[in-house]
Amino acid sequence: MSLIQSILMGILQGLTEFLPVSSSGHLAIFKYLFHVNTDTGLLFDVLLHLGTLAAVCIVYWKDIWKLIYSFIQMIIALVMNLKIFITSRRSGTRPVYQKIITNAYKKFVFMIIVTTIPTGIIGLLLKNVIESASNSLLVPGVCLVITAIILLLSDARIDGHKKIKASGYKDAALVGVAQGIATLPGISRSGTTITACLLLGFDRAFAVRYSFIASLPAILGANILELREFSSAAVTGGLVGIYLVGMAVAGVVGYICIKAMIYFVKSNKFKYFAYYCAAAGIVCIIYYFVKG
């Protein structure tokens, strides 16, 4: 892989991870058309995702810090409840447990956990399908057309008002299912999850916030699993430097795109991305059948 290819793929990852046009689909198309060899298999893809995850952490750092702090408090409360349970069993007294979810951020933490579970299950079930689907243009092309339909549904949805307090765990699970399906190359994760949030009645700004923050554990977990198959034998110092440049570019471009997405969702402008996805998908499908 050359430095230019690394920069181009970093730009592509940063643009497509957060804009609703599917990063996995575009990276698969880019690699297929330009015969890009990343030399170390999954490592470069993982680093690109880490770059965009860093962008999410920077934009929503206040929320993420409060979520981490709330999660630690919840773990402490669970440990204390376990201690209370053991003590009560020994003494024969009636246990009085601490409440685990006591504020909006603790509920937010639990909702993200609920969202992550179906995403992980679906991702594991579709793992082999995803890997084989990325080897041609047909599946990404079809999935891009599906993404276009999903985005048009988003713009047609009447504005909702639900935020954390009004949302339920069933909502979180359904968003997780949508996020799991979006592991297919060509299905936009951000577009699908934001649309799912809007269809469930979420406030538009909160839908973007929830979509991006809920992606953190799912993408991080998937990348950790992928790294198990990584061999360091193919890595050289120069190659690592090229990869890190791509990661940094993905992070910077991703940061800009997150800010842009908040505007696009609030102003019902997903239809323009829908037209693009439909056109790109149709071109990929035609190319597949013409070129075989």
Side-chain angles (χ1 to χ4, degrees), residues 183-200:
T183 55
L184 288 167
I187 301 291
S188 166
R189 191 210 62 80
S190 62
T192 302
T193 53
I194 290 172
T195 298
C197 288
L198 295 177
L199 292 175
L200 291 167

Side-chain angles (χ1 to χ4, degrees), residues 3-279:
L3 179 61
I4 296 298
Q5 286 177 328
S6 176
I7 292 172
L8 288 176
M9 291 184 70
I11 293 171
L12 190 63
Q13 170 70 16
L15 285 171
T16 57
E17 179 67 31
F18 301 117
L19 298 181
V21 292
S22 176
S23 63
S24 59
H26 279 74
L27 288 173
I29 292 167
F30 184 87
K31 290 177 184 178
Y32 181 88
L33 292 178
F34 297 99
H35 308 289
V36 175
N37 179 15
T38 57
D39 305 307
T40 54
L42 298 168
L43 178 61
F44 185 59
D45 288 349
V46 170
L47 289 176
L48 289 180
H49 278 108
L50 289 178
T52 49
L53 287 180
V56 176
C57 292
I58 292 170
V59 173
Y60 293 108
W61 71 271
K62 289 183 179 179
D63 282 320
I64 292 169
W65 167 248
K66 289 179 181 178
L67 288 169
I68 293 171
Y69 181 70
S70 297
F71 179 70
I72 293 171
Q73 287 183 315
M74 292 168 71
I75 295 297
I76 292 171
L78 282 171
V79 172
M80 293 301 297
N81 283 343
L82 179 60
K83 182 179 178 182
I84 291 169
F85 171 76
I86 294 171
T87 303
S88 66
R89 294 285 290 182
R90 288 175 177 173
S91 62
T93 58
R94 183 179 178 182
V96 179
Y97 296 113
Q98 295 184 18
K99 193 172 181 181
I100 305 297
I101 300 174
T102 56
N103 57 43
Y105 272 100
K106 290 181 180 178
K107 183 178 179 181
F108 200 169
V109 168
F110 197 72
M111 286 184 67
I112 291 173
I113 293 171
V114 172
T115 293
T116 303
I117 292 170
T119 297
I121 293 171
I122 294 172
L124 289 173
L125 292 175
L126 294 179
K127 185 176 185 295
N128 293 332
V129 176
I130 293 165
E131 290 176 355
S132 60
S134 300
N135 294 326
S136 76
L137 292 182
L138 180 60
V139 174
V142 171
C143 288
L144 280 169
V145 174
I146 294 172
T147 293
I149 297 170
I150 291 171
L151 296 179
L152 290 174
L153 286 173
S154 169
D155 271 357
R157 177 65 180 172
I158 298 173
D159 291 358
H161 303 285
K162 286 166 64 174
K163 294 185 180 180
I164 282 293
K165 290 184 179 180
S167 303
Y169 300 121
K170 181 180 177 181
D171 295 333
L174 290 172
V175 174
V177 171
Q179 186 167 245
I181 294 170
T183 55
L184 288 167
I187 301 291
S188 166
R189 191 210 62 80
S190 62
T192 302
T193 53
I194 290 172
T195 298
C197 288
L198 295 177
L199 292 175
L200 291 167
F202 283 34
D203 170 81
R204 286 186 173 269
F206 179 68
V208 178
R209 179 176 159 219
Y210 189 86
S211 169
F212 290 154
I213 293 177
S215 73
L216 293 176
I219 296 175
L220 190 59
N223 287 333
I224 290 171
L225 289 175
E226 288 180 346
L227 280 176
R228 292 188 309 171
E229 303 173 17
F230 164 67
S231 172
S232 60
V235 180
T236 63
L239 198 58
V240 170
I242 290 173
Y243 283 9
L244 291 177
V245 170
M247 181 179 73
V249 170
V252 172
V253 175
Y255 176 87
I256 296 169
C257 288
I258 293 173
K259 295 291 190 179
M261 271 294 287
I262 298 171
Y263 164 76
F264 289 132
V265 174
K266 285 184 176 179
S267 55
N268 290 26
K269 293 187 182 295
F270 265 15
K271 59 180 177 290
Y272 301 112
F273 295 105
Y275 301 151
Y276 166 77
C277 287

